[in-house]
mmCIF file of all heavy atoms in Angstrom:
data_model
loop_
_atom_site.group_PDB
_atom_site.id
_atom_site.type_symbol
_atom_site.label_atom_id
_atom_site.label_comp_id
_atom_site.label_asym_id
_atom_site.label_seq_id
_atom_site.Cartn_x
_atom_site.Cartn_y
_atom_site.Cartn_z
ATOM 1 N N PRO H 1 -182.450 115.380 256.852
ATOM 2 C CA PRO H 1 -183.794 114.895 256.547
ATOM 3 C C PRO H 1 -183.782 113.433 256.124
ATOM 4 O O PRO H 1 -182.789 112.942 255.571
ATOM 5 C CB PRO H 1 -184.247 115.794 255.393
ATOM 6 C CG PRO H 1 -182.997 116.293 254.780
ATOM 7 C CD PRO H 1 -181.976 116.354 255.869
ATOM 8 N N THR H 2 -184.882 112.751 256.390
ATOM 9 C CA THR H 2 -184.999 111.343 256.036
ATOM 10 C C THR H 2 -186.417 111.035 255.556
ATOM 11 O O THR H 2 -187.389 111.573 256.085
ATOM 12 C CB THR H 2 -184.630 110.435 257.229
ATOM 13 O OG1 THR H 2 -184.736 109.081 256.845
ATOM 14 C CG2 THR H 2 -185.510 110.676 258.419
ATOM 15 N N LEU H 3 -186.512 110.203 254.532
ATOM 16 C CA LEU H 3 -187.790 109.715 254.002
ATOM 17 C C LEU H 3 -187.757 108.198 254.065
ATOM 18 O O LEU H 3 -186.789 107.578 253.614
ATOM 19 C CB LEU H 3 -187.980 110.164 252.554
ATOM 20 C CG LEU H 3 -187.903 111.668 252.287
ATOM 21 C CD1 LEU H 3 -187.846 111.920 250.790
ATOM 22 C CD2 LEU H 3 -189.085 112.370 252.913
ATOM 23 N N THR H 4 -188.806 107.587 254.596
ATOM 24 C CA THR H 4 -188.821 106.135 254.781
ATOM 25 C C THR H 4 -190.144 105.547 254.296
ATOM 26 O O THR H 4 -191.204 106.093 254.565
ATOM 27 C CB THR H 4 -188.625 105.778 256.269
ATOM 28 O OG1 THR H 4 -187.385 106.310 256.717
ATOM 29 C CG2 THR H 4 -188.630 104.275 256.483
ATOM 30 N N LEU H 5 -190.050 104.417 253.592
ATOM 31 C CA LEU H 5 -191.194 103.565 253.267
ATOM 32 C C LEU H 5 -190.891 102.183 253.833
ATOM 33 O O LEU H 5 -189.799 101.651 253.619
ATOM 34 C CB LEU H 5 -191.414 103.463 251.763
ATOM 35 C CG LEU H 5 -192.206 104.576 251.122
ATOM 36 C CD1 LEU H 5 -192.306 104.343 249.624
ATOM 37 C CD2 LEU H 5 -193.583 104.716 251.722
ATOM 38 N N GLU H 6 -191.872 101.611 254.532
ATOM 39 C CA GLU H 6 -191.610 100.357 255.241
ATOM 40 C C GLU H 6 -192.861 99.495 255.291
ATOM 41 O O GLU H 6 -193.751 99.731 256.104
ATOM 42 C CB GLU H 6 -191.131 100.698 256.659
ATOM 43 C CG GLU H 6 -190.796 99.535 257.524
ATOM 44 C CD GLU H 6 -190.328 99.974 258.899
ATOM 45 O OE1 GLU H 6 -190.486 101.144 259.275
ATOM 46 O OE2 GLU H 6 -189.796 99.097 259.599
ATOM 47 N N PRO H 7 -192.955 98.481 254.426
ATOM 48 C CA PRO H 7 -194.059 97.536 254.590
ATOM 49 C C PRO H 7 -193.810 96.679 255.837
ATOM 50 O O PRO H 7 -192.716 96.158 256.023
ATOM 51 C CB PRO H 7 -194.015 96.698 253.316
ATOM 52 C CG PRO H 7 -192.670 96.910 252.733
ATOM 53 C CD PRO H 7 -192.135 98.187 253.267
ATOM 54 N N ARG H 8 -194.824 96.573 256.681
ATOM 55 C CA ARG H 8 -194.699 95.811 257.932
ATOM 56 C C ARG H 8 -195.725 94.684 257.961
ATOM 57 O O ARG H 8 -196.903 94.894 257.713
ATOM 58 C CB ARG H 8 -194.941 96.714 259.144
ATOM 59 C CG ARG H 8 -193.834 97.678 259.414
ATOM 60 C CD ARG H 8 -194.113 98.452 260.676
ATOM 61 N NE ARG H 8 -192.953 99.233 261.065
ATOM 62 C CZ ARG H 8 -192.871 99.939 262.170
ATOM 63 N NH1 ARG H 8 -193.903 99.962 263.010
ATOM 64 N NH2 ARG H 8 -191.791 100.613 262.458
ATOM 65 N N TRP H 9 -195.243 93.499 258.319
ATOM 66 C CA TRP H 9 -196.109 92.347 258.517
ATOM 67 C C TRP H 9 -196.238 92.126 260.021
ATOM 68 O O TRP H 9 -195.284 91.739 260.697
ATOM 69 C CB TRP H 9 -195.540 91.117 257.832
ATOM 70 C CG TRP H 9 -196.260 89.850 258.155
ATOM 71 C CD1 TRP H 9 -197.605 89.642 258.173
ATOM 72 C CD2 TRP H 9 -195.674 88.599 258.528
ATOM 73 N NE1 TRP H 9 -197.897 88.354 258.519
ATOM 74 C CE2 TRP H 9 -196.725 87.680 258.748
ATOM 75 C CE3 TRP H 9 -194.365 88.165 258.687
ATOM 76 C CZ2 TRP H 9 -196.497 86.374 259.123
ATOM 77 C CZ3 TRP H 9 -194.141 86.862 259.067
ATOM 78 C CH2 TRP H 9 -195.207 85.978 259.275
ATOM 79 N N TYR H 10 -197.427 92.402 260.580
ATOM 80 C CA TYR H 10 -197.711 92.171 261.993
ATOM 81 C C TYR H 10 -198.180 90.724 262.124
ATOM 82 O O TYR H 10 -199.328 90.412 261.829
ATOM 83 C CB TYR H 10 -198.774 93.151 262.483
ATOM 84 C CG TYR H 10 -198.251 94.561 262.594
ATOM 85 C CD1 TYR H 10 -198.375 95.463 261.545
ATOM 86 C CD2 TYR H 10 -197.615 94.986 263.752
ATOM 87 C CE1 TYR H 10 -197.888 96.753 261.647
ATOM 88 C CE2 TYR H 10 -197.121 96.274 263.864
ATOM 89 C CZ TYR H 10 -197.265 97.152 262.809
ATOM 90 O OH TYR H 10 -196.773 98.428 262.921
ATOM 91 N N TYR H 11 -197.276 89.857 262.557
ATOM 92 C CA TYR H 11 -197.514 88.416 262.470
ATOM 93 C C TYR H 11 -198.199 87.806 263.685
ATOM 94 O O TYR H 11 -198.596 86.648 263.633
ATOM 95 C CB TYR H 11 -196.195 87.673 262.202
ATOM 96 C CG TYR H 11 -195.142 87.828 263.266
ATOM 97 C CD1 TYR H 11 -195.103 86.999 264.365
ATOM 98 C CD2 TYR H 11 -194.160 88.807 263.147
ATOM 99 C CE1 TYR H 11 -194.134 87.126 265.331
ATOM 100 C CE2 TYR H 11 -193.179 88.943 264.093
ATOM 101 C CZ TYR H 11 -193.167 88.107 265.189
ATOM 102 O OH TYR H 11 -192.194 88.251 266.135
ATOM 103 N N ASN H 12 -198.386 88.538 264.768
ATOM 104 C CA ASN H 12 -198.967 87.907 265.954
ATOM 105 C C ASN H 12 -200.249 88.580 266.441
ATOM 106 O O ASN H 12 -200.591 88.486 267.608
ATOM 107 C CB ASN H 12 -197.935 87.855 267.077
ATOM 108 C CG ASN H 12 -197.642 89.221 267.673
ATOM 109 O OD1 ASN H 12 -197.786 90.241 267.002
ATOM 110 N ND2 ASN H 12 -197.218 89.237 268.918
ATOM 111 N N LEU H 13 -200.987 89.225 265.556
ATOM 112 C CA LEU H 13 -202.212 89.915 265.978
ATOM 113 C C LEU H 13 -203.267 88.949 266.496
ATOM 114 O O LEU H 13 -203.906 89.209 267.526
ATOM 115 C CB LEU H 13 -202.776 90.748 264.825
ATOM 116 C CG LEU H 13 -201.912 91.908 264.341
ATOM 117 C CD1 LEU H 13 -202.593 92.616 263.193
ATOM 118 C CD2 LEU H 13 -201.595 92.870 265.467
ATOM 119 N N ASN H 14 -203.472 87.829 265.801
ATOM 120 C CA ASN H 14 -204.471 86.843 266.257
ATOM 121 C C ASN H 14 -204.109 86.288 267.629
ATOM 122 O O ASN H 14 -204.967 86.149 268.508
ATOM 123 C CB ASN H 14 -204.604 85.706 265.253
ATOM 124 C CG ASN H 14 -205.341 86.138 264.002
ATOM 125 O OD1 ASN H 14 -206.159 87.047 264.043
ATOM 126 N ND2 ASN H 14 -205.039 85.485 262.901
ATOM 127 N N LYS H 15 -202.849 85.973 267.825
ATOM 128 C CA LYS H 15 -202.395 85.425 269.108
ATOM 129 C C LYS H 15 -202.602 86.439 270.234
ATOM 130 O O LYS H 15 -203.078 86.097 271.314
ATOM 131 C CB LYS H 15 -200.920 85.034 269.001
ATOM 132 C CG LYS H 15 -200.348 84.410 270.236
ATOM 133 C CD LYS H 15 -198.901 84.010 269.999
ATOM 134 C CE LYS H 15 -198.272 83.420 271.227
ATOM 135 N NZ LYS H 15 -196.862 83.073 271.012
ATOM 136 N N ARG H 16 -202.268 87.712 269.959
ATOM 137 C CA ARG H 16 -202.460 88.755 270.971
ATOM 138 C C ARG H 16 -203.943 88.934 271.286
ATOM 139 O O ARG H 16 -204.324 89.068 272.449
ATOM 140 C CB ARG H 16 -201.847 90.082 270.511
ATOM 141 C CG ARG H 16 -200.331 90.074 270.514
ATOM 142 C CD ARG H 16 -199.770 91.433 270.135
ATOM 143 N NE ARG H 16 -200.186 92.500 271.036
ATOM 144 C CZ ARG H 16 -199.682 92.737 272.240
ATOM 145 N NH1 ARG H 16 -198.716 91.966 272.697
ATOM 146 N NH2 ARG H 16 -200.125 93.741 272.969
ATOM 147 N N GLN H 17 -204.784 88.914 270.257
ATOM 148 C CA GLN H 17 -206.213 89.089 270.483
ATOM 149 C C GLN H 17 -206.791 87.916 271.256
ATOM 150 O O GLN H 17 -207.623 88.107 272.151
ATOM 151 C CB GLN H 17 -206.938 89.270 269.150
ATOM 152 C CG GLN H 17 -208.386 89.676 269.331
ATOM 153 C CD GLN H 17 -209.057 89.950 268.016
ATOM 154 O OE1 GLN H 17 -208.928 89.158 267.087
ATOM 155 N NE2 GLN H 17 -209.758 91.070 267.929
ATOM 156 N N ASN H 18 -206.370 86.698 270.944
ATOM 157 C CA ASN H 18 -206.853 85.512 271.664
ATOM 158 C C ASN H 18 -206.466 85.537 273.138
ATOM 159 O O ASN H 18 -207.158 84.967 273.975
ATOM 160 C CB ASN H 18 -206.344 84.237 271.013
ATOM 161 C CG ASN H 18 -207.016 83.968 269.686
ATOM 162 O OD1 ASN H 18 -208.088 84.491 269.399
ATOM 163 N ND2 ASN H 18 -206.368 83.161 268.855
ATOM 164 N N LYS H 19 -205.345 86.190 273.468
ATOM 165 C CA LYS H 19 -204.908 86.312 274.856
ATOM 166 C C LYS H 19 -205.423 87.597 275.502
ATOM 167 O O LYS H 19 -204.942 87.986 276.563
ATOM 168 C CB LYS H 19 -203.380 86.283 274.925
ATOM 169 C CG LYS H 19 -202.792 84.933 274.590
ATOM 170 C CD LYS H 19 -201.290 84.941 274.765
ATOM 171 C CE LYS H 19 -200.716 83.561 274.514
ATOM 172 N NZ LYS H 19 -199.262 83.530 274.752
ATOM 173 N N SER H 20 -206.357 88.283 274.824
ATOM 174 C CA SER H 20 -206.960 89.532 275.305
ATOM 175 C C SER H 20 -205.929 90.630 275.514
ATOM 176 O O SER H 20 -206.040 91.436 276.445
ATOM 177 C CB SER H 20 -207.744 89.289 276.601
ATOM 178 O OG SER H 20 -208.790 88.374 276.370
ATOM 179 N N ARG H 21 -204.952 90.674 274.653
ATOM 180 C CA ARG H 21 -203.965 91.755 274.682
ATOM 181 C C ARG H 21 -204.320 92.777 273.615
ATOM 182 O O ARG H 21 -204.995 92.476 272.644
ATOM 183 C CB ARG H 21 -202.563 91.199 274.446
ATOM 184 C CG ARG H 21 -202.120 90.308 275.583
ATOM 185 C CD ARG H 21 -200.690 89.929 275.448
ATOM 186 N NE ARG H 21 -200.299 89.074 276.559
ATOM 187 C CZ ARG H 21 -199.373 88.153 276.477
ATOM 188 N NH1 ARG H 21 -198.735 87.954 275.343
ATOM 189 N NH2 ARG H 21 -199.076 87.432 277.524
ATOM 190 N N ARG H 22 -203.827 93.980 273.774
ATOM 191 C CA ARG H 22 -204.176 95.077 272.875
ATOM 192 C C ARG H 22 -203.555 94.899 271.497
ATOM 193 O O ARG H 22 -202.395 94.511 271.379
ATOM 194 C CB ARG H 22 -203.686 96.402 273.456
ATOM 195 C CG ARG H 22 -204.378 96.787 274.730
ATOM 196 C CD ARG H 22 -203.834 98.055 275.295
ATOM 197 N NE ARG H 22 -204.149 99.173 274.398
ATOM 198 C CZ ARG H 22 -203.872 100.435 274.683
ATOM 199 N NH1 ARG H 22 -203.270 100.739 275.803
ATOM 200 N NH2 ARG H 22 -204.198 101.387 273.844
ATOM 201 N N ILE H 23 -204.352 95.208 270.457
ATOM 202 C CA ILE H 23 -203.832 95.271 269.090
ATOM 203 C C ILE H 23 -204.180 96.612 268.446
ATOM 204 O O ILE H 23 -203.841 96.842 267.286
ATOM 205 C CB ILE H 23 -204.351 94.116 268.210
ATOM 206 C CG1 ILE H 23 -205.866 94.163 268.057
ATOM 207 C CG2 ILE H 23 -203.875 92.774 268.735
ATOM 208 C CD1 ILE H 23 -206.389 93.227 266.977
ATOM 209 N N ASP H 24 -204.833 97.508 269.206
ATOM 210 C CA ASP H 24 -205.173 98.815 268.657
ATOM 211 C C ASP H 24 -203.902 99.602 268.346
ATOM 212 O O ASP H 24 -202.880 99.439 269.003
ATOM 213 C CB ASP H 24 -206.078 99.594 269.617
ATOM 214 C CG ASP H 24 -205.424 99.850 270.958
ATOM 215 O OD1 ASP H 24 -204.796 98.919 271.507
ATOM 216 O OD2 ASP H 24 -205.541 100.981 271.459
ATOM 217 N N GLY H 25 -203.963 100.432 267.328
ATOM 218 C CA GLY H 25 -202.792 101.205 266.925
ATOM 219 C C GLY H 25 -201.679 100.332 266.385
ATOM 220 O O GLY H 25 -200.518 100.727 266.403
ATOM 221 N N ASN H 26 -202.019 99.126 265.934
ATOM 222 C CA ASN H 26 -201.052 98.153 265.409
ATOM 223 C C ASN H 26 -200.039 97.733 266.474
ATOM 224 O O ASN H 26 -198.838 97.649 266.210
ATOM 225 C CB ASN H 26 -200.354 98.691 264.158
ATOM 226 C CG ASN H 26 -201.330 98.994 263.049
ATOM 227 O OD1 ASN H 26 -202.471 98.557 263.081
ATOM 228 N ND2 ASN H 26 -200.891 99.760 262.074
ATOM 229 N N SER H 27 -200.526 97.451 267.664
ATOM 230 C CA SER H 27 -199.673 96.907 268.718
ATOM 231 C C SER H 27 -199.412 95.443 268.415
ATOM 232 O O SER H 27 -200.349 94.646 268.350
ATOM 233 C CB SER H 27 -200.353 97.006 270.088
ATOM 234 O OG SER H 27 -200.371 98.324 270.535
ATOM 235 N N GLY H 28 -198.161 95.103 268.220
ATOM 236 C CA GLY H 28 -197.804 93.721 267.934
ATOM 237 C C GLY H 28 -196.362 93.618 267.484
ATOM 238 O O GLY H 28 -195.647 94.612 267.384
ATOM 239 N N ASN H 29 -195.952 92.392 267.223
ATOM 240 C CA ASN H 29 -194.615 92.151 266.682
ATOM 241 C C ASN H 29 -194.679 92.258 265.168
ATOM 242 O O ASN H 29 -195.672 91.891 264.555
ATOM 243 C CB ASN H 29 -194.129 90.761 267.081
ATOM 244 C CG ASN H 29 -194.023 90.584 268.577
ATOM 245 O OD1 ASN H 29 -194.405 91.445 269.353
ATOM 246 N ND2 ASN H 29 -193.517 89.449 268.987
ATOM 247 N N PHE H 30 -193.592 92.722 264.560
ATOM 248 C CA PHE H 30 -193.603 92.874 263.109
ATOM 249 C C PHE H 30 -192.267 92.519 262.491
ATOM 250 O O PHE H 30 -191.224 92.560 263.145
ATOM 251 C CB PHE H 30 -193.993 94.308 262.700
ATOM 252 C CG PHE H 30 -193.053 95.381 263.178
ATOM 253 C CD1 PHE H 30 -191.928 95.728 262.451
ATOM 254 C CD2 PHE H 30 -193.305 96.061 264.361
ATOM 255 C CE1 PHE H 30 -191.070 96.723 262.883
ATOM 256 C CE2 PHE H 30 -192.455 97.054 264.808
ATOM 257 C CZ PHE H 30 -191.333 97.390 264.062
ATOM 258 N N ILE H 31 -192.333 92.166 261.221
ATOM 259 C CA ILE H 31 -191.151 92.002 260.367
ATOM 260 C C ILE H 31 -191.357 92.968 259.216
ATOM 261 O O ILE H 31 -192.446 93.058 258.650
ATOM 262 C CB ILE H 31 -191.015 90.554 259.867
ATOM 263 C CG1 ILE H 31 -190.739 89.620 261.054
ATOM 264 C CG2 ILE H 31 -189.909 90.448 258.829
ATOM 265 C CD1 ILE H 31 -190.732 88.155 260.704
ATOM 266 N N SER H 32 -190.310 93.714 258.870
ATOM 267 C CA SER H 32 -190.457 94.731 257.844
ATOM 268 C C SER H 32 -189.219 94.804 256.955
ATOM 269 O O SER H 32 -188.189 94.214 257.262
ATOM 270 C CB SER H 32 -190.691 96.101 258.494
ATOM 271 O OG SER H 32 -189.511 96.540 259.134
ATOM 272 N N ILE H 33 -189.381 95.544 255.875
ATOM 273 C CA ILE H 33 -188.255 95.897 255.010
ATOM 274 C C ILE H 33 -188.205 97.413 255.000
ATOM 275 O O ILE H 33 -188.974 98.074 254.299
ATOM 276 C CB ILE H 33 -188.412 95.328 253.592
ATOM 277 C CG1 ILE H 33 -188.490 93.815 253.656
ATOM 278 C CG2 ILE H 33 -187.255 95.777 252.704
ATOM 279 C CD1 ILE H 33 -188.786 93.157 252.338
ATOM 280 N N LYS H 34 -187.321 97.969 255.828
ATOM 281 C CA LYS H 34 -187.235 99.415 255.992
ATOM 282 C C LYS H 34 -186.350 99.996 254.897
ATOM 283 O O LYS H 34 -185.172 99.681 254.801
ATOM 284 C CB LYS H 34 -186.659 99.755 257.368
ATOM 285 C CG LYS H 34 -186.640 101.226 257.667
ATOM 286 C CD LYS H 34 -186.203 101.497 259.076
ATOM 287 C CE LYS H 34 -186.297 102.990 259.353
ATOM 288 N NZ LYS H 34 -185.979 103.287 260.738
ATOM 289 N N THR H 35 -186.928 100.864 254.062
ATOM 290 C CA THR H 35 -186.201 101.519 252.981
ATOM 291 C C THR H 35 -186.148 103.009 253.302
ATOM 292 O O THR H 35 -187.184 103.676 253.354
ATOM 293 C CB THR H 35 -186.896 101.285 251.631
ATOM 294 O OG1 THR H 35 -187.042 99.876 251.435
ATOM 295 C CG2 THR H 35 -186.097 101.870 250.498
ATOM 296 N N THR H 36 -184.939 103.519 253.524
ATOM 297 C CA THR H 36 -184.752 104.898 253.965
ATOM 298 C C THR H 36 -183.858 105.649 252.986
ATOM 299 O O THR H 36 -182.823 105.139 252.558
ATOM 300 C CB THR H 36 -184.109 104.932 255.364
ATOM 301 O OG1 THR H 36 -184.935 104.201 256.261
ATOM 302 C CG2 THR H 36 -183.945 106.351 255.867
ATOM 303 N N TYR H 37 -184.256 106.873 252.669
ATOM 304 C CA TYR H 37 -183.480 107.748 251.796
ATOM 305 C C TYR H 37 -183.110 109.005 252.580
ATOM 306 O O TYR H 37 -183.977 109.658 253.161
ATOM 307 C CB TYR H 37 -184.303 108.109 250.557
ATOM 308 C CG TYR H 37 -183.653 109.118 249.648
ATOM 309 C CD1 TYR H 37 -182.397 108.883 249.084
ATOM 310 C CD2 TYR H 37 -184.291 110.314 249.347
ATOM 311 C CE1 TYR H 37 -181.806 109.809 248.247
ATOM 312 C CE2 TYR H 37 -183.710 111.245 248.501
ATOM 313 C CZ TYR H 37 -182.464 110.985 247.963
ATOM 314 O OH TYR H 37 -181.877 111.911 247.132
ATOM 315 N N HIS H 38 -181.821 109.308 252.614
ATOM 316 C CA HIS H 38 -181.321 110.548 253.212
ATOM 317 C C HIS H 38 -180.909 111.475 252.069
ATOM 318 O O HIS H 38 -179.814 111.330 251.528
ATOM 319 C CB HIS H 38 -180.113 110.288 254.113
ATOM 320 C CG HIS H 38 -180.427 109.547 255.353
ATOM 321 N ND1 HIS H 38 -180.109 108.225 255.528
ATOM 322 C CD2 HIS H 38 -181.051 109.943 256.485
ATOM 323 C CE1 HIS H 38 -180.511 107.831 256.714
ATOM 324 N NE2 HIS H 38 -181.096 108.849 257.317
#
């Protein structure tokens, strides 16, 4: 089993939207700090 908490910064949403690309469902590039407990 695994439990994870991960804050994600989606840094290119504006750029994707300006180019008429999808951002629904948090589609984009991200930087995160993945903290996982097994």
